[in-house]
Amino acid sequence: MNYWLIKSEPDAFSIDDLSNRPNQTEAWDGVRNYQARNMMRDQMQIGDQAFFYHSSCKVPAIVGIVEVVSQAYADPSQFDPNSKYYDAKSTKDNPRWQLVDFKLVKKFTQIIPLSSIKADPRLNDMPLVKKGSRLSIMPISAQHWQILTGN
DNA sequence: GCCAACGTTGGC
DNA sequence: GCCAACGTTGGC
């Protein structure tokens, strides 16, 4: 079982949007970064847990927990010319981009702001707080997960 | 809106 | 295969 953190801009897709989806589940489309894709494709397993993180907003923060509920499969948006995620160089025989489905597990009543993550020395080596870390999907160690969830 | 840090692109 | 130019991310 692995732990992750996935970023989303709440203006584009927030945890409340996820909460309103059928089955509170969403196909995590639009990831167009090879490192992030590789983690979904090669390492994510059904049952993995992930923090849902709001980025590029007033209070960047971990706002809840989601769970991986599918294996990786081809991101349909790469084949859709009307999608902003369309990739003309990707073919159905050899799709370039993959995704997984995430299901809402819990929306925090108390969010964990980036500022308090940064203020905790035990969390200093989290990828999230490393300088220049822009990955939209990153791994979280079990230890960090426990600290952040208070378990 | 600024800007640092990255990733990608494309000419050579 | 190098690397400058460009685009994007995302905190502040």
Side-chain angles (χ1 to χ4, degrees):
Chain A
M1 158 107 148
N2 298 312
Y3 298 105
W4 307 95
L5 179 144
I6 60 171
K7 290 182 186 172
S8 186
E9 298 183 22
D11 287 346
F13 188 81
S14 72
I15 195 162
D16 290 323
D17 294 327
L18 178 60
S19 170
N20 289 326
R21 285 286 195 265
N23 290 329
Q24 301 191 318
T25 297
E26 178 76 356
W28 208 247
D29 64 2
V31 172
R32 293 294 179 268
N33 171 282
Y34 288 104
Q35 261 183 282
R37 178 207 64 183
N38 292 348
M39 284 187 275
M40 286 198 289
R41 188 188 60 188
D42 304 333
Q43 291 178 254
M44 276 193 189
Q45 297 173 324
I46 292 173
D48 282 0
Q49 308 256 107
F51 288 128
F52 194 107
Y53 178 83
H54 280 171
S55 67
S56 293
C57 55
K58 275 224 175 66
V59 184
I62 295 171
V63 295
I65 294 173
V66 298
E67 182 174 330
V68 177
V69 292
S70 81
Q71 306 277 18
Y73 59 97
D75 180 343
S77 68
Q78 69 195 308
F79 306 124
D80 177 3
N82 297 318
S83 167
K84 64 173 174 173
Y85 301 125
Y86 177 63
D87 185 342
K89 292 178 181 164
S90 187
T91 65
K92 296 216 173 187
D93 287 341
N94 188 19
R96 182 179 288 190
W97 305 111
Q98 306 267 118
L99 57 70
V100 301
D101 295 345
F102 288 111
K103 181 184 174 73
L104 182 65
V105 171
K106 176 195 273 186
K107 179 185 165 180
F108 289 159
T109 49
Q110 235 185 334
I111 65 172
I112 307 172
L114 179 62
S115 57
S116 59
I117 296 171
K118 285 185 166 172
D120 188 335
R122 297 173 299 171
L123 303 173
N124 275 348
D125 52 347
M126 272 182 71
L128 183 68
V129 298
K130 292 260 176 68
K131 189 164 70 165
S133 164
R134 301 183 319 174
L135 268 181
S136 60
I137 294 176
M138 38 181 95
I140 302 281
S141 73
Q143 188 185 5
H144 290 155
W145 183 274
Q146 283 173 359
I147 292 168
L148 286 160
T149 54
N151 294 324

